[in-house]
Amino acid sequence: MGFWKTNVPKYKDIIRKYIIDKDENVLYQAQKLSRKLIEHQIAPEEVISLHKSIMMEGNYPAGKIIDSFDVLLEVMMGYGLAYREHQSLRTEQLALRNEIEVAASMQETLLRTSIPSVSGVDIGAISVPARKMNGDYFHFVSDEDYRVGIAIADVIGKGIPAALSMSMIKYAMDSLPEEDYSPGSVLKSLNRVVEQNVDPSMFITMCYGTYDAKTHQFCYATAGHEPGFFYKAKNKEYIDFCGRGLLLGINKNTEYKEYEVRIELGDMIILMSDGVTECRTDDGFIERDDLTSYIDQYIHLPAQEIVNNVYKDLERLQDFELRDDFTLIILKRIN
């Protein structure tokens, strides 16, 4: 309201001066006023309506009304320039969006992994990016000795830089020697890769573990990653992973301690990214007990159905708007 109160008299004065003297300098004042109107998001139809009301109030003859259109045209030219700039930016935005779509599709292809089929083990996994590109990564490795390797990583950050870092982690893992997939060695090797190739302002957390379906032992090491859970079916309790370790890329000489736990019949290994544990509602972050209660609701189901249902519940809890990349993996011993 204050903007109109100040500038309506200015516009009236510009029109009056121009139709009397036809001074070209007055049109320059109209240009400046046009910029102010655009800055204050005054719609062009409002300007036309104002112009019409001013001319009707002044009871000007037809010739003067026609002359006043020069002023209106000068003002509208400013809107035209702004519109063309908007169209140009929109075209650039669409081109960028298309590039991101292509990059997201390529990332999905590059990071694709298949859930291994191992006798006596049921595995479920889900990973959903908060944006087009995923800053989370998970990967499975299996061998003929009934061992399953599970990797889960998270870049502290989002968007294209995070996605590129995840692609680098994937290919670094692919290049590791097959004879040494012990969790501590894997994290130690990847730590050196990250330290040498990732910007110091970015950090990567990771957990890597191997489950031996013959001995039912799960060996793991963590690099600052969100602690997972062990579900112990006998006592119906959730036990946190031990250790956190140093994030990847902080110190190239870091050693990662390995931990081991036996998985009994019905027990589960639960791995996740912080998009799961830091699920936010209007009341704040969900608590650990809230998360385990969601898992408890579906614990009788196959592992893939558990992760799918937990994701749907937490997505609904956030009004279907993920605030961070979401990755959840469950390995359940069924035999």
Side-chain angles (χ1 to χ4, degrees), residues 71-84:
V71 176
L72 182 59
L73 179 61
E74 199 68 38
V75 173
M76 289 297 104
M77 283 173 63
Y79 280 92
L81 289 170
Y83 176 75
R84 284 194 290 274

Side-chain angles (χ1 to χ4, degrees), residues 122 268 295 297-306 309 332:
D122 181 23
M268 297 191 304
I295 297 173
Q297 292 180 47
Y298 309 109
I299 208 158
H300 59 286
L301 297 175
Q304 189 60 51
E305 291 187 36
I306 297 175
N309 282 303
K332 180 192 289 189

Side-chain angles (χ1 to χ4, degrees), residues 190-330:
L190 294 177
N191 178 58
R192 288 175 178 163
V193 173
V194 172
E195 195 274 335
Q196 293 173 9
N197 297 281
V198 175
D199 188 282
S201 64
M202 295 185 69
F203 301 101
I204 299 176
T205 69
M206 188 169 183
C207 177
Y208 185 76
T210 56
Y211 174 72
D212 190 324
K214 289 182 176 179
T215 64
H216 308 299
Q217 294 293 123
F218 181 67
C219 180
Y220 67 95
T222 65
H225 194 75
E226 191 68 28
F229 303 135
F230 295 111
Y231 173 73
K232 307 304 289 182
K234 183 178 180 179
N235 302 321
K236 295 184 178 181
E237 64 175 337
Y238 292 87
I239 301 171
D240 292 336
F241 273 34
C242 296
R244 290 296 293 269
L246 195 62
L247 284 71
L248 298 181
I250 301 295
N251 183 341
K252 65 180 180 181
N253 297 316
T254 302
E255 299 284 341
Y256 292 93
K257 185 176 180 180
E258 295 182 355
Y259 300 87
E260 197 165 298
V261 63
R262 180 173 173 81
I263 305 300
E264 304 292 348
L265 187 63
D267 289 357
M268 297 191 304
I269 299 163
I270 304 166
L271 300 172
M272 67 205 75
S273 65
D274 58 11
V276 180
T277 55
E278 294 181 6
C279 170
R280 282 175 288 184
T281 67
D282 292 337
D283 299 323
F285 294 116
I286 63 168
E287 300 291 337
R288 177 187 185 278
D289 290 344
D290 296 325
L291 176 58
T292 56
S293 68
Y294 281 112
I295 297 173
D296 280 337
Q297 292 180 47
Y298 309 109
I299 208 158
H300 59 286
L301 297 175
Q304 189 60 51
E305 291 187 36
I306 297 175
V307 297
N308 288 344
N309 282 303
V310 170
Y311 166 69
K312 289 176 183 176
D313 285 348
L314 294 183
E315 184 189 33
R316 191 180 302 112
L317 196 64
Q318 298 178 91
D319 296 324
F320 302 95
E321 185 178 347
L322 293 182
R323 293 169 174 81
D324 200 357
D325 304 319
F326 183 106
T327 300
L328 179 62
I329 301 170
I330 288 180

Side-chain angles (χ1 to χ4, degrees), residues 1-15 29-30 32-40 42 47 50 54:
M1 190 69 181
F3 176 81
W4 278 119
K5 188 175 182 180
T6 304
N7 288 279
V8 168
K10 286 183 181 179
Y11 192 53
K12 286 182 179 180
D13 191 51
I14 289 171
I15 293 174
Q29 296 177 27
K32 293 199 297 184
L33 180 62
S34 175
R35 288 194 287 271
K36 288 185 179 180
L37 292 168
I38 294 170
E39 287 173 6
H40 285 79
I42 305 301
V47 180
L50 171 63
I54 290 173

Side-chain angles (χ1 to χ4, degrees), residues 10-69:
K10 286 183 181 179
Y11 192 53
K12 286 182 179 180
D13 191 51
I14 289 171
I15 293 174
R16 182 183 59 79
K17 286 180 179 178
Y18 183 75
I19 62 179
I20 292 174
D21 302 325
K22 286 207 174 176
D23 185 354
E24 295 292 328
N25 291 326
V26 174
L27 296 180
Y28 176 67
Q29 296 177 27
Q31 290 179 12
K32 293 199 297 184
L33 180 62
S34 175
R35 288 194 287 271
K36 288 185 179 180
L37 292 168
I38 294 170
E39 287 173 6
H40 285 79
Q41 299 182 341
I42 305 301
E45 60 268 24
E46 292 183 69
V47 180
I48 294 171
S49 178
L50 171 63
H51 188 95
K52 177 183 175 183
S53 65
I54 290 173
M55 299 314 295
M56 290 178 67
E57 288 173 7
N59 199 23
Y60 292 104
K64 298 295 184 183
I65 292 175
I66 292 173
D67 289 341
S68 76
F69 287 159

